Amino acid sequence: MFVFRRIKSPPLLQPLTSTESELQGLCGLGGRIVSKRSIKPLTLILIFFTCQSSTQDYLGVLLMTTMAASAETVISEQHKVVEDEWTIVLPRRKNQNRKLPKLKSAKQHQEQTQWTPTDLEMTPERELKLMQKMQISIEKLEKSQFFSVFLDQIRTPEASDYFCKITESEHKLKMVIYGIGSIESFEPPRLQLSLAILMKRKLDWIGEIEVFDPIISLTESKVLEELGCHVLLVNEQGMRKVANPILFFMPHCEAELYDNLLKTNWRHDSLNKIILFGNSFEKYEQHQSVVQDSTVDDSRKHLLAIRPFTREFEISTVSDDYFRAFQGSSWHFFKVDRDTNLQLLCYAR
């Protein structure tokens, strides 16, 4: 029997905008569709149908070609089609061993784009409530043992030496915060932002703070500005080119974001100007050695390749109160020699 899938209107034939090769691709995918496409001088009519019996299901394809002039008679005036009313429905067949072609994810087509908040609701009450939450979080963190230990770790002779080598040429180091999350909805993002703000207050070498996360609401954006941060209006996708030394504050970001940052600055003089606070690269490497997944490896190619040139200082969470916000976080410094062939190093993996 013929199986038609209707979305809104009666069963009709609908012109497609795809090419002949794309129609052939649909046949390869398998599915149920009724469509017509004028490809001069021929018109193709594709009808996917299934035949059912008590023991087996069969998928057949009926392909009919007619001259363009005569094809117009297939559809009568009372059956005018409406655009986007037919869709492809992939078959649900068991034991299908064929692999469908992979579609490229959005992450493979990343571009820097202009950004505006999707949540535009803002009231004085909502803004005041969020500001109060942030003040409480900052005060709590400042008085905690975690923050005291955190500052002590930065001031240890070895760690301090790495910070000084990068900051000595700059009076103030810009801090760029990616992926902070919703400070209105969750405590871990509030604690992470509180740490960044307290670092600026306590460390005289930290200057302007820039923040971006695509989920930030208009209210959160306003509060961030009031706390002395600048909210970026461009989604950089982590692809900030480094000309002068920068501190990237990126706790619990996706691995792809770290990889974007490294890939964008994949040269020795740029990498050596980066201080990165975020997920432990060492733990990524340990995980990769266990998983051995080529897909995962590809999304972290630069992250894993830079490991031999990375000095990492893991922070201590000390208390369970700060475990969720900072667990697995480390300081990362990169030391790459001028004659290191980074391209070969990366793509040889």
Side-chain angles (χ1 to χ4, degrees):
M1 70 177 175
F2 292 93
V3 179
F4 299 89
R5 175 73 179 270
R6 189 179 71 179
I7 304 304
K8 294 179 182 178
S9 64
L12 307 172
L13 296 181
Q14 176 191 350
L16 296 178
T17 57
S18 53
T19 63
E20 181 176 2
S21 60
E22 290 173 323
L23 291 173
Q24 294 170 349
L26 288 176
C27 295
L29 284 175
R32 294 171 288 168
I33 185 171
V34 178
S35 60
K36 186 195 77 171
R37 161 65 175 155
S38 294
I39 304 177
K40 297 181 180 180
L42 297 180
T43 294
L44 299 181
I45 300 176
L46 292 179
I47 302 177
F48 281 60
F49 63 94
T50 58
C51 297
Q52 299 179 338
S53 69
S54 58
T55 57
Q56 290 180 309
D57 293 341
Y58 298 94
L59 177 68
V61 179
L62 176 62
L63 174 61
M64 300 185 295
T65 62
T66 64
M67 296 304 294
S70 61
E72 297 299 323
T73 62
V74 176
I75 304 175
S76 62
E77 285 299 318
Q78 64 271 27
H79 286 151
K80 294 296 183 182
V81 296
V82 180
E83 191 173 0
D84 295 331
E85 291 189 341
W86 287 89
T87 187
I88 300 170
V89 183
L90 294 179
R92 298 178 180 176
R93 288 178 291 168
K94 296 181 180 179
N95 302 322
Q96 182 175 346
N97 295 323
R98 288 186 303 157
K99 292 184 178 180
L100 299 180
K102 290 184 178 180
L103 297 177
K104 291 185 178 181
S105 66
K107 292 176 182 177
Q108 293 174 288
H109 296 285
Q110 288 163 334
E111 295 180 354
Q112 297 187 14
T113 55
Q114 292 295 318
W115 169 86
T116 54
T118 54
D119 181 358
L120 299 176
E121 179 185 353
M122 187 173 69
T123 64
E125 293 77 17
R126 183 179 176 184
E127 183 181 337
L128 177 60
K129 184 177 180 180
L130 178 55
M131 180 59 77
Q132 290 173 341
K133 284 183 178 180
M134 278 305 308
Q135 294 295 351
I136 291 171
S137 179
I138 293 171
E139 291 174 10
K140 173 186 175 182
L141 186 62
E142 186 174 16
K143 297 175 182 178
S144 70
Q145 182 186 5
F146 165 82
F147 185 60
S148 177
V149 172
F150 179 83
L151 290 179
D152 289 342
Q153 287 179 313
I154 292 177
R155 291 164 178 160
T156 59
E158 186 179 10
S160 179
D161 185 51
Y162 277 92
F163 281 106
C164 288
K165 285 179 180 178
I166 295 181
T167 60
E168 61 185 0
S169 62
E170 296 291 314
H171 178 60
K172 295 282 187 179
L173 209 65
K174 178 180 290 186
M175 180 190 293
V176 177
I177 302 177
Y178 288 137
I180 193 65
S182 173
I183 60 173
E184 186 175 19
S185 303
F186 304 104
E187 184 181 35
R190 287 196 293 274
L191 289 172
Q192 292 166 0
L193 179 62
S194 297
L195 179 61
I197 291 171
L198 286 172
M199 285 175 60
K200 181 178 180 179
R201 293 179 183 178
K202 302 293 183 180
L203 303 172
D204 58 6
W205 48 268
I206 292 182
E208 180 186 7
I209 298 178
E210 296 180 344
V211 183
F212 183 80
D213 193 301
I215 69 169
I216 291 175
S217 67
L218 185 59
T219 298
E220 289 170 325
S221 179
K222 182 73 179 299
V223 170
L224 283 165
E225 295 283 352
E226 291 177 3
L227 289 170
C229 304
H230 172 61
V231 179
L232 298 173
L233 298 179
V234 175
N235 185 352
E236 299 177 336
Q237 303 282 2
M239 297 183 285
R240 170 74 67 95
K241 290 185 178 181
V242 174
N244 300 310
I246 297 182
L247 165 57
F248 289 95
F249 188 86
M250 303 170 62
H252 295 182
C253 285
E254 294 183 359
E256 289 80 3
L257 205 59
Y258 299 119
D259 208 75
N260 280 354
L261 176 63
L262 296 172
K263 182 179 180 180
T264 303
N265 297 283
W266 202 241
R267 45 183 293 165
H268 77 281
D269 54 343
S270 296
L271 291 170
N272 293 344
K273 294 175 182 176
I274 292 175
I275 300 176
L276 175 61
F277 180 76
N279 297 349
S280 168
F281 284 14
E282 181 180 6
K283 286 184 170 55
Y284 278 125
E285 186 179 50
Q286 292 171 353
H287 175 73
Q288 180 63 29
S289 65
V290 174
V291 175
Q292 292 295 327
D293 186 333
S294 60
T295 303
V296 173
D297 184 75
D298 188 62
S299 66
R300 304 171 183 179
K301 183 180 295 184
H302 299 83
L303 186 158
L304 296 172
I306 200 63
R307 273 287 297 139
F309 307 93
T310 305
R311 180 64 176 96
E312 182 173 324
F313 297 91
E314 185 175 3
I315 69 165
S316 175
T317 53
V318 181
S319 168
D320 290 342
D321 292 343
Y322 305 99
F323 183 82
R324 287 182 60 199
F326 302 107
Q327 174 258 340
S329 297
S330 296
W331 289 105
H332 302 81
F333 302 87
F334 310 108
K335 187 176 181 181
V336 184
D337 295 332
R338 180 188 298 270
D339 58 354
T340 302
N341 191 331
L342 287 170
Q343 297 300 326
L344 179 64
L345 181 71
C346 182
Y347 294 103
R349 293 192 63 85

